[in-house]
Amino acid sequence: MQHYPKSIRNLIRQLSRLPGIGEKTAERLAMHVLKAPADQAQALAESILQVKRSVQHCQQCFGLSDGPVCQICQDPGRDRDLVCVVEQPADMMSVEKAGCFKGLYHILGGVLSPMDGIGPDRLRLEQLWRRVDSGQVKEVILATSTSVEGEATASFIAQRLAGRPVKVSRIASGIPMGGDIKYVDQMTLKRAIWGRHAC
Amino acid sequence: MQHYPKSIRNLIRQLSRLPGIGEKTAERLAMHVLKAPADQAQALAESILQVKRSVQHCQQCFGLSDGPVCQICQDPGRDRDLVCVVEQPADMMSVEKAGCFKGLYHILGGVLSPMDGIGPDRLRLEQLWRRVDSGQVKEVILATSTSVEGEATASFIAQRLAGRPVKVSRIASGIPMGGDIKYVDQMTLKRAIWGRHAC
Protein backbone atom coordinates (compact mmCIF):
# COMPACT_ATOMS: atom_id res chain seq x y z
CA MET A 1 0.00 0.00 0.00
CA GLN A 2 2.93 2.36 0.57
CA HIS A 3 3.32 2.68 -3.21
CA TYR A 4 0.02 4.48 -3.64
CA PRO A 5 -0.05 8.28 -3.65
CA LYS A 6 -0.79 9.75 -0.21
CA SER A 7 -4.41 10.69 -0.96
CA ILE A 8 -5.22 7.15 -2.10
CA ARG A 9 -3.50 5.66 0.96
CA ASN A 10 -5.62 7.92 3.13
CA LEU A 11 -8.85 6.88 1.38
CA ILE A 12 -7.92 3.20 1.78
CA ARG A 13 -7.23 3.76 5.48
CA GLN A 14 -10.56 5.54 6.00
CA LEU A 15 -12.51 2.88 4.11
CA SER A 16 -10.88 0.02 6.00
CA ARG A 17 -12.20 1.49 9.28
CA LEU A 18 -15.71 0.50 8.14
CA PRO A 19 -16.98 -2.81 9.58
CA GLY A 20 -16.28 -5.88 7.45
CA ILE A 21 -14.03 -3.94 5.05
CA GLY A 22 -10.47 -5.24 5.06
CA GLU A 23 -7.51 -3.57 3.41
CA LYS A 24 -7.93 -5.56 0.19
CA THR A 25 -11.60 -4.56 -0.17
CA ALA A 26 -10.81 -0.98 0.82
CA GLU A 27 -8.22 -0.90 -1.98
CA ARG A 28 -10.77 -2.16 -4.51
CA LEU A 29 -13.34 0.40 -3.33
CA ALA A 30 -10.77 3.20 -3.49
CA MET A 31 -9.90 2.23 -7.08
CA HIS A 32 -13.61 2.32 -7.91
CA VAL A 33 -13.98 5.79 -6.40
CA LEU A 34 -10.96 6.92 -8.42
CA LYS A 35 -12.45 5.68 -11.68
CA ALA A 36 -16.04 6.72 -10.91
CA PRO A 37 -17.43 9.97 -12.36
CA ALA A 38 -16.68 12.97 -10.13
CA ASP A 39 -20.36 13.56 -9.40
CA GLN A 40 -20.81 10.01 -8.10
CA ALA A 41 -17.89 10.37 -5.66
CA GLN A 42 -19.22 13.79 -4.67
CA ALA A 43 -22.68 12.32 -4.02
CA LEU A 44 -21.18 9.59 -1.80
CA ALA A 45 -19.12 12.06 0.24
CA GLU A 46 -22.08 14.44 0.48
CA SER A 47 -24.44 11.66 1.67
CA ILE A 48 -22.00 10.75 4.47
CA LEU A 49 -21.84 14.34 5.66
CA GLN A 50 -25.59 14.80 5.24
CA VAL A 51 -26.47 11.77 7.34
CA LYS A 52 -24.32 13.07 10.20
CA ARG A 53 -25.84 16.54 9.90
CA SER A 54 -29.51 15.68 9.62
CA VAL A 55 -30.24 12.39 11.39
CA GLN A 56 -31.56 12.80 14.93
CA HIS A 57 -33.68 10.84 17.39
CA CYS A 58 -37.45 11.15 17.05
CA GLN A 59 -38.79 13.05 20.09
CA GLN A 60 -41.57 10.52 20.59
CA CYS A 61 -40.22 7.04 19.81
CA PHE A 62 -36.43 7.80 19.73
CA GLY A 63 -36.07 6.12 16.34
CA LEU A 64 -33.91 7.61 13.59
CA SER A 65 -35.42 10.63 11.95
CA ASP A 66 -34.58 13.49 9.59
CA GLY A 67 -36.79 15.83 11.60
CA PRO A 68 -37.94 16.23 15.22
CA VAL A 69 -40.69 13.59 14.79
CA CYS A 70 -40.17 10.49 12.60
CA GLN A 71 -42.26 9.39 9.62
CA ILE A 72 -43.86 6.53 11.52
CA CYS A 73 -44.94 8.68 14.49
CA GLN A 74 -46.30 11.26 12.02
CA ASP A 75 -48.20 8.69 9.94
CA PRO A 76 -51.96 9.15 10.64
CA GLY A 77 -52.58 5.58 9.37
CA ARG A 78 -50.72 3.94 12.29
CA ASP A 79 -52.50 2.54 15.30
CA ARG A 80 -51.66 4.84 18.25
CA ASP A 81 -52.99 2.36 20.83
CA LEU A 82 -50.17 -0.11 20.21
CA VAL A 83 -46.54 0.53 21.19
CA CYS A 84 -43.80 -1.97 20.30
CA VAL A 85 -40.78 -1.65 22.62
CA VAL A 86 -37.45 -2.52 20.94
CA GLU A 87 -33.78 -2.16 21.86
CA GLN A 88 -32.34 -0.34 18.88
CA PRO A 89 -33.47 1.47 15.69
CA ALA A 90 -32.27 -1.55 13.66
CA ASP A 91 -34.78 -3.77 15.52
CA MET A 92 -37.55 -1.34 14.62
CA MET A 93 -36.49 -1.61 10.95
CA SER A 94 -36.66 -5.42 11.17
CA VAL A 95 -40.21 -5.28 12.54
CA GLU A 96 -41.13 -2.78 9.80
CA LYS A 97 -39.71 -5.12 7.15
CA ALA A 98 -41.83 -7.97 8.52
CA GLY A 99 -44.72 -5.67 7.56
CA CYS A 100 -47.25 -7.04 10.06
CA PHE A 101 -47.19 -4.27 12.68
CA LYS A 102 -49.08 -1.05 12.21
CA GLY A 103 -48.63 0.55 15.64
CA LEU A 104 -45.93 2.86 16.98
CA TYR A 105 -42.52 2.11 18.49
CA HIS A 106 -40.49 2.95 21.56
CA ILE A 107 -36.72 2.53 21.26
CA LEU A 108 -35.05 1.84 24.59
CA GLY A 109 -31.52 2.47 23.36
CA GLY A 110 -30.22 -0.80 24.83
CA VAL A 111 -31.00 -3.44 27.44
CA LEU A 112 -30.45 -3.68 31.18
CA SER A 113 -26.99 -5.05 31.74
CA PRO A 114 -25.64 -4.67 35.29
CA MET A 115 -22.35 -6.25 34.14
CA ASP A 116 -21.79 -3.29 31.78
CA GLY A 117 -23.16 -0.80 34.29
CA ILE A 118 -26.37 -0.24 32.33
CA GLY A 119 -29.21 0.27 34.77
CA PRO A 120 -32.81 1.45 34.21
CA ASP A 121 -31.70 5.09 34.24
CA ARG A 122 -29.56 4.51 31.12
CA LEU A 123 -32.56 3.34 29.03
CA ARG A 124 -35.48 5.45 27.82
CA LEU A 125 -37.82 4.03 30.45
CA GLU A 126 -39.03 7.27 32.04
CA GLN A 127 -40.19 8.31 28.57
CA LEU A 128 -42.00 4.97 28.19
CA TRP A 129 -43.83 5.37 31.55
CA ARG A 130 -44.80 8.88 30.44
CA ARG A 131 -46.17 7.60 27.11
CA VAL A 132 -48.18 4.94 28.93
CA ASP A 133 -49.46 7.44 31.51
CA SER A 134 -50.64 9.79 28.77
CA GLY A 135 -53.51 7.31 28.41
CA GLN A 136 -53.32 6.84 24.66
CA VAL A 137 -51.57 3.46 24.79
CA LYS A 138 -53.69 0.32 25.21
CA GLU A 139 -51.04 -2.34 24.63
CA VAL A 140 -47.28 -2.44 25.03
CA ILE A 141 -45.58 -5.25 23.06
CA LEU A 142 -42.16 -6.12 24.48
CA ALA A 143 -39.94 -6.98 21.51
CA THR A 144 -36.51 -6.94 23.16
CA SER A 145 -34.28 -9.81 22.10
CA THR A 146 -34.48 -13.24 23.73
CA SER A 147 -30.97 -12.97 25.22
CA VAL A 148 -30.59 -13.01 29.02
CA GLU A 149 -30.43 -9.21 29.07
CA GLY A 150 -33.35 -8.82 26.65
CA GLU A 151 -35.51 -11.17 28.74
CA ALA A 152 -34.56 -9.39 31.98
CA THR A 153 -35.38 -6.02 30.42
CA ALA A 154 -38.76 -7.30 29.24
CA SER A 155 -39.54 -8.69 32.74
CA PHE A 156 -38.49 -5.41 34.36
CA ILE A 157 -40.77 -3.38 32.09
CA ALA A 158 -43.65 -5.83 32.55
CA GLN A 159 -43.32 -5.56 36.36
CA ARG A 160 -43.17 -1.78 36.32
CA LEU A 161 -46.23 -1.55 34.06
CA ALA A 162 -48.19 -4.11 36.11
CA GLY A 163 -50.19 -1.55 38.07
CA ARG A 164 -51.06 0.61 35.08
CA PRO A 165 -54.22 0.26 32.95
CA VAL A 166 -52.36 -1.13 29.94
CA LYS A 167 -52.02 -4.60 28.41
CA VAL A 168 -48.42 -5.81 28.31
CA SER A 169 -47.39 -8.63 25.95
CA ARG A 170 -44.13 -10.33 24.99
CA ILE A 171 -43.32 -11.54 21.46
CA ALA A 172 -43.43 -15.33 21.15
CA SER A 173 -40.27 -17.40 21.24
CA GLY A 174 -39.99 -20.88 19.76
CA ILE A 175 -38.67 -22.77 16.76
CA PRO A 176 -37.73 -20.37 13.94
CA MET A 177 -39.58 -20.97 10.66
CA GLY A 178 -37.87 -23.63 8.58
CA GLY A 179 -36.13 -24.86 11.74
CA ASP A 180 -35.39 -28.54 12.21
CA ILE A 181 -36.50 -29.82 15.64
CA LYS A 182 -33.44 -32.04 16.03
CA TYR A 183 -31.04 -29.12 15.62
CA VAL A 184 -32.87 -26.66 17.85
CA ASP A 185 -31.28 -25.94 21.24
CA GLN A 186 -33.03 -27.21 24.37
CA MET A 187 -33.94 -23.79 25.72
CA THR A 188 -35.72 -22.86 22.50
CA LEU A 189 -37.50 -26.21 22.38
CA LYS A 190 -38.61 -25.79 26.00
CA ARG A 191 -40.03 -22.36 25.14
CA ALA A 192 -41.75 -23.73 22.05
CA ILE A 193 -43.46 -26.44 24.11
CA TRP A 194 -44.45 -24.00 26.88
CA GLY A 195 -45.83 -21.62 24.30
CA ARG A 196 -47.81 -24.25 22.34
CA HIS A 197 -51.19 -23.21 21.04
CA ALA A 198 -54.32 -25.03 19.89
CA CYS A 199 -54.42 -25.88 16.17
CA MET B 1 -35.48 0.43 3.32
CA GLN B 2 -38.36 2.87 2.77
CA HIS B 3 -38.75 3.16 6.55
CA TYR B 4 -35.39 4.87 6.99
CA PRO B 5 -35.21 8.67 7.02
CA LYS B 6 -34.43 10.13 3.58
CA SER B 7 -30.79 10.99 4.34
CA ILE B 8 -30.06 7.41 5.48
CA ARG B 9 -31.82 6.00 2.40
CA ASN B 10 -29.65 8.23 0.26
CA LEU B 11 -26.45 7.10 1.99
CA ILE B 12 -27.46 3.44 1.58
CA ARG B 13 -28.14 4.04 -2.13
CA GLN B 14 -24.77 5.75 -2.63
CA LEU B 15 -22.88 3.02 -0.75
CA SER B 16 -24.59 0.23 -2.66
CA ARG B 17 -23.23 1.68 -5.92
CA LEU B 18 -19.76 0.59 -4.80
CA PRO B 19 -18.56 -2.73 -6.26
CA GLY B 20 -19.36 -5.80 -4.17
CA ILE B 21 -21.56 -3.82 -1.74
CA GLY B 22 -25.16 -5.05 -1.77
CA GLU B 23 -28.07 -3.30 -0.10
CA LYS B 24 -27.69 -5.33 3.10
CA THR B 25 -24.00 -4.42 3.48
CA ALA B 26 -24.69 -0.81 2.52
CA GLU B 27 -27.28 -0.69 5.30
CA ARG B 28 -24.76 -2.03 7.82
CA LEU B 29 -22.12 0.48 6.68
CA ALA B 30 -24.62 3.34 6.86
CA MET B 31 -25.52 2.35 10.43
CA HIS B 32 -21.82 2.36 11.28
CA VAL B 33 -21.36 5.83 9.80
CA LEU B 34 -24.36 7.02 11.82
CA LYS B 35 -22.87 5.70 15.07
CA ALA B 36 -19.27 6.68 14.33
CA PRO B 37 -17.81 9.89 15.80
CA ALA B 38 -18.47 12.90 13.57
CA ASP B 39 -14.76 13.42 12.83
CA GLN B 40 -14.40 9.87 11.51
CA ALA B 41 -17.31 10.31 9.08
CA GLN B 42 -15.91 13.70 8.11
CA ALA B 43 -12.48 12.15 7.45
CA LEU B 44 -14.04 9.49 5.22
CA ALA B 45 -16.05 12.02 3.19
CA GLU B 46 -13.03 14.30 2.95
CA SER B 47 -10.74 11.50 1.76
CA ILE B 48 -13.20 10.66 -1.05
CA LEU B 49 -13.28 14.27 -2.22
CA GLN B 50 -9.52 14.64 -1.80
CA VAL B 51 -8.70 11.61 -3.92
CA LYS B 52 -10.82 12.96 -6.77
CA ARG B 53 -9.22 16.39 -6.45
CA SER B 54 -5.58 15.46 -6.17
CA VAL B 55 -4.92 12.17 -7.97
CA GLN B 56 -3.62 12.57 -11.51
CA HIS B 57 -1.58 10.59 -14.02
CA CYS B 58 2.21 10.78 -13.69
CA GLN B 59 3.59 12.64 -16.73
CA GLN B 60 6.27 10.03 -17.26
CA CYS B 61 4.81 6.59 -16.49
CA PHE B 62 1.06 7.48 -16.39
CA GLY B 63 0.67 5.78 -13.02
CA LEU B 64 -1.42 7.31 -10.23
CA SER B 65 0.19 10.28 -8.56
CA ASP B 66 -0.57 13.12 -6.19
CA GLY B 67 1.70 15.43 -8.18
CA PRO B 68 2.84 15.83 -11.81
CA VAL B 69 5.52 13.11 -11.42
CA CYS B 70 4.91 10.01 -9.27
CA GLN B 71 6.99 8.83 -6.30
CA ILE B 72 8.50 5.93 -8.22
CA CYS B 73 9.62 8.06 -11.20
CA GLN B 74 11.08 10.59 -8.74
CA ASP B 75 12.92 7.95 -6.67
CA PRO B 76 16.67 8.29 -7.39
CA GLY B 77 17.18 4.71 -6.17
CA ARG B 78 15.25 3.14 -9.07
CA ASP B 79 16.96 1.68 -12.10
CA ARG B 80 16.17 4.01 -15.02
CA ASP B 81 17.40 1.50 -17.64
CA LEU B 82 14.51 -0.87 -16.99
CA VAL B 83 10.90 -0.13 -17.94
CA CYS B 84 8.10 -2.52 -17.05
CA VAL B 85 5.07 -2.10 -19.33
CA VAL B 86 1.73 -2.86 -17.65
CA GLU B 87 -1.92 -2.39 -18.55
CA GLN B 88 -3.29 -0.51 -15.55
CA PRO B 89 -2.08 1.23 -12.36
CA ALA B 90 -3.36 -1.76 -10.34
CA ASP B 91 -0.93 -4.04 -12.24
CA MET B 92 1.91 -1.72 -11.32
CA MET B 93 0.87 -1.96 -7.66
CA SER B 94 0.91 -5.78 -7.90
CA VAL B 95 4.46 -5.74 -9.29
CA GLU B 96 5.47 -3.28 -6.54
CA LYS B 97 3.99 -5.59 -3.89
CA ALA B 98 6.00 -8.51 -5.28
CA GLY B 99 8.97 -6.30 -4.34
CA CYS B 100 11.44 -7.73 -6.85
CA PHE B 101 11.44 -4.96 -9.46
CA LYS B 102 13.46 -1.80 -9.00
CA GLY B 103 13.03 -0.17 -12.40
CA LEU B 104 10.39 2.24 -13.73
CA TYR B 105 6.96 1.59 -15.21
CA HIS B 106 4.93 2.51 -18.25
CA ILE B 107 1.16 2.21 -17.93
CA LEU B 108 -0.53 1.59 -21.28
CA GLY B 109 -4.03 2.34 -20.04
CA GLY B 110 -5.46 -0.87 -21.51
CA VAL B 111 -4.80 -3.53 -24.13
CA LEU B 112 -5.37 -3.74 -27.87
CA SER B 113 -8.89 -5.01 -28.40
CA PRO B 114 -10.25 -4.57 -31.94
CA MET B 115 -13.59 -6.04 -30.78
CA ASP B 116 -14.04 -3.09 -28.42
CA GLY B 117 -12.60 -0.62 -30.94
CA ILE B 118 -9.35 -0.17 -28.99
CA GLY B 119 -6.51 0.24 -31.45
CA PRO B 120 -2.86 1.30 -30.88
CA ASP B 121 -3.86 4.99 -30.90
CA ARG B 122 -6.00 4.44 -27.77
CA LEU B 123 -3.03 3.18 -25.71
CA ARG B 124 -0.03 5.19 -24.51
CA LEU B 125 2.26 3.69 -27.16
CA GLU B 126 3.57 6.90 -28.74
CA GLN B 127 4.78 7.90 -25.27
CA LEU B 128 6.49 4.50 -24.93
CA TRP B 129 8.31 4.85 -28.27
CA ARG B 130 9.42 8.31 -27.17
CA ARG B 131 10.77 6.98 -23.84
CA VAL B 132 12.66 4.25 -25.68
CA ASP B 133 14.00 6.72 -28.27
CA SER B 134 15.27 9.01 -25.52
CA GLY B 135 18.09 6.45 -25.20
CA GLN B 136 17.90 5.97 -21.43
CA VAL B 137 16.01 2.65 -21.56
CA LYS B 138 18.02 -0.55 -21.99
CA GLU B 139 15.29 -3.13 -21.42
CA VAL B 140 11.52 -3.11 -21.80
CA ILE B 141 9.74 -5.86 -19.83
CA LEU B 142 6.29 -6.59 -21.22
CA ALA B 143 4.06 -7.39 -18.26
CA THR B 144 0.63 -7.23 -19.88
CA SER B 145 -1.70 -10.03 -18.81
CA THR B 146 -1.64 -13.44 -20.46
CA SER B 147 -5.14 -13.08 -21.92
CA VAL B 148 -5.55 -13.10 -25.72
CA GLU B 149 -5.56 -9.29 -25.78
CA GLY B 150 -2.62 -9.00 -23.37
CA GLU B 151 -0.55 -11.42 -25.45
CA ALA B 152 -1.48 -9.62 -28.68
CA THR B 153 -0.53 -6.26 -27.14
CA ALA B 154 2.83 -7.66 -25.99
CA SER B 155 3.52 -9.07 -29.47
CA PHE B 156 2.58 -5.77 -31.08
CA ILE B 157 4.94 -3.80 -28.83
CA ALA B 158 7.75 -6.35 -29.33
CA GLN B 159 7.40 -6.06 -33.10
CA ARG B 160 7.39 -2.28 -33.07
CA LEU B 161 10.45 -2.15 -30.83
CA ALA B 162 12.32 -4.78 -32.88
CA GLY B 163 14.39 -2.30 -34.88
CA ARG B 164 15.35 -0.16 -31.87
CA PRO B 165 18.50 -0.60 -29.75
CA VAL B 166 16.62 -1.94 -26.73
CA LYS B 167 16.19 -5.40 -25.24
CA VAL B 168 12.54 -6.50 -25.10
CA SER B 169 11.42 -9.28 -22.75
CA ARG B 170 8.11 -10.87 -21.76
CA ILE B 171 7.27 -12.06 -18.23
CA ALA B 172 7.25 -15.87 -17.94
CA SER B 173 4.01 -17.81 -17.98
CA GLY B 174 3.59 -21.28 -16.49
CA ILE B 175 2.21 -23.11 -13.49
CA PRO B 176 1.40 -20.68 -10.67
CA MET B 177 3.26 -21.35 -7.39
CA GLY B 178 1.45 -23.93 -5.29
CA GLY B 179 -0.38 -25.09 -8.42
CA ASP B 180 -1.27 -28.74 -8.89
CA ILE B 181 -0.24 -30.08 -12.32
CA LYS B 182 -3.40 -32.14 -12.68
CA TYR B 183 -5.69 -29.12 -12.25
CA VAL B 184 -3.77 -26.75 -14.51
CA ASP B 185 -5.36 -25.97 -17.88
CA GLN B 186 -3.69 -27.34 -21.02
CA MET B 187 -2.65 -23.97 -22.40
CA THR B 188 -0.80 -23.09 -19.19
CA LEU B 189 0.85 -26.51 -19.06
CA LYS B 190 1.94 -26.16 -22.70
CA ARG B 191 3.49 -22.78 -21.86
CA ALA B 192 5.19 -24.22 -18.78
CA ILE B 193 6.78 -26.99 -20.85
CA TRP B 194 7.86 -24.58 -23.63
CA GLY B 195 9.35 -22.26 -21.08
CA ARG B 196 11.21 -24.98 -19.11
CA HIS B 197 14.66 -24.09 -17.84
CA ALA B 198 17.70 -26.01 -16.71
CA CYS B 199 17.78 -26.87 -13.00
Side-chain angles (χ1 to χ4, degrees):
Chain A
M1 194 169 98
Q2 74 271 33
H3 309 294
Y4 282 112
K6 196 166 153 252
S7 61
I8 300 181
R9 283 206 304 274
N10 186 34
L11 177 57
I12 294 173
R13 195 166 45 239
Q14 295 300 337
L15 286 169
S16 57
R17 295 174 78 174
L18 295 171
I21 306 282
E23 197 185 296
K24 204 83 184 158
T25 307
E27 208 176 318
R28 195 160 47 86
L29 295 179
M31 286 299 125
H32 174 88
V33 169
L34 253 182
K35 279 186 206 157
D39 60 334
Q40 194 179 324
Q42 177 90 32
L44 173 59
E46 201 39 64
S47 65
I48 292 167
L49 296 173
Q50 185 58 34
V51 96
K52 297 301 279 189
R53 263 198 302 264
S54 74
V55 173
Q56 49 187 288
H57 287 299
C58 168
Q59 287 171 355
Q60 194 181 336
C61 73
F62 305 96
L64 301 172
S65 174
D66 269 334
V69 178
C70 78
Q71 285 173 308
I72 292 173
C73 288
Q74 275 181 19
D75 186 347
R78 314 271 318 195
D79 186 351
R80 272 147 214 285
D81 293 350
L82 265 176
V83 169
C84 180
V85 175
V86 293
E87 295 173 21
Q88 299 292 357
D91 302 322
M92 166 178 162
M93 293 303 159
S94 286
V95 177
E96 279 299 293
K97 277 180 199 162
C100 60
F101 179 74
K102 290 293 161 218
L104 302 180
Y105 292 89
H106 189 87
I107 286 106
L108 293 176
V111 276
L112 294 176
S113 176
M115 290 273 282
D116 305 313
I118 301 176
D121 53 312
R122 294 277 294 276
L123 305 181
R124 301 197 191 91
L125 288 171
E126 285 302 328
Q127 294 91 331
L128 178 61
W129 314 149
R130 240 176 286 143
R131 279 181 85 173
V132 169
D133 289 340
S134 74
Q136 229 191 356
V137 183
K138 292 202 178 124
E139 181 174 353
V140 171
I141 303 175
L142 300 171
T144 52
S145 57
T146 53
S147 62
V148 175
E149 291 87 358
E151 291 283 296
T153 308
S155 299
F156 180 86
I157 297 173
Q159 280 169 23
R160 293 292 295 265
L161 289 178
R164 290 174 166 94
V166 69
K167 194 176 154 190
V168 181
S169 58
R170 176 85 173 112
I171 49 162
S173 53
I175 319 288
M177 292 310 291
D180 194 327
I181 305 289
K182 67 176 169 291
Y183 298 131
V184 165
D185 66 288
Q186 295 186 334
M187 201 58 206
T188 301
L189 199 51
K190 216 177 256 182
R191 282 298 194 97
I193 294 169
W194 280 343
R196 68 191 180 278
H197 48 74
C199 303
Chain B
M1 193 168 100
Q2 73 270 31
H3 310 293
Y4 282 111
K6 195 165 154 252
S7 61
I8 301 181
R9 283 205 305 274
N10 186 33
L11 177 58
I12 294 173
R13 196 167 44 240
Q14 295 301 336
L15 287 168
S16 58
R17 295 173 79 176
L18 295 171
I21 307 283
E23 198 186 295
K24 204 85 184 158
T25 308
E27 208 175 316
R28 196 161 45 86
L29 295 178
M31 285 301 125
H32 173 88
V33 169
L34 254 181
K35 279 185 208 158
D39 60 335
Q40 193 180 326
Q42 177 89 33
L44 173 59
E46 201 39 64
S47 65
I48 292 167
L49 296 172
Q50 186 59 34
V51 94
K52 297 301 280 187
R53 264 198 300 265
S54 74
V55 173
Q56 49 187 288
H57 287 297
C58 167
Q59 287 171 356
Q60 195 181 333
C61 74
F62 304 97
L64 301 172
S65 174
D66 269 335
V69 178
C70 78
Q71 285 173 306
I72 292 175
C73 287
Q74 274 180 22
D75 186 347
R78 314 271 318 194
D79 186 352
R80 273 146 213 286
D81 295 349
L82 265 176
V83 170
C84 179
V85 175
V86 293
E87 295 172 21
Q88 298 292 358
D91 302 321
M92 166 178 161
M93 292 304 159
S94 288
V95 177
E96 278 300 293
K97 276 179 199 163
C100 60
F101 179 73
K102 290 292 162 218
L104 302 180
Y105 291 89
H106 189 87
I107 285 107
L108 293 176
V111 276
L112 295 175
S113 176
M115 290 273 281
D116 304 313
I118 301 176
D121 53 311
R122 294 277 294 276
L123 306 180
R124 299 196 192 94
L125 289 170
E126 285 303 327
Q127 293 92 331
L128 178 61
W129 314 150
R130 240 177 285 142
R131 280 180 84 173
V132 169
D133 290 339
S134 74
Q136 229 191 356
V137 184
K138 291 201 179 127
E139 182 175 351
V140 171
I141 303 175
L142 301 172
T144 52
S145 57
T146 52
S147 62
V148 175
E149 292 87 358
E151 290 282 296
T153 308
S155 299
F156 180 84
I157 297 174
Q159 279 170 23
R160 293 291 296 266
L161 290 178
R164 290 173 164 96
V166 68
K167 195 177 153 189
V168 181
S169 58
R170 176 84 173 113
I171 49 162
S173 54
I175 319 288
M177 292 311 291
D180 193 327
I181 305 289
K182 66 178 171 291
Y183 298 130
V184 164
D185 66 288
Q186 294 186 336
M187 201 60 207
T188 301
L189 199 52
K190 216 177 254 181
R191 280 300 193 96
I193 293 170
W194 280 343
R196 69 191 180 277
H197 49 74
C199 304

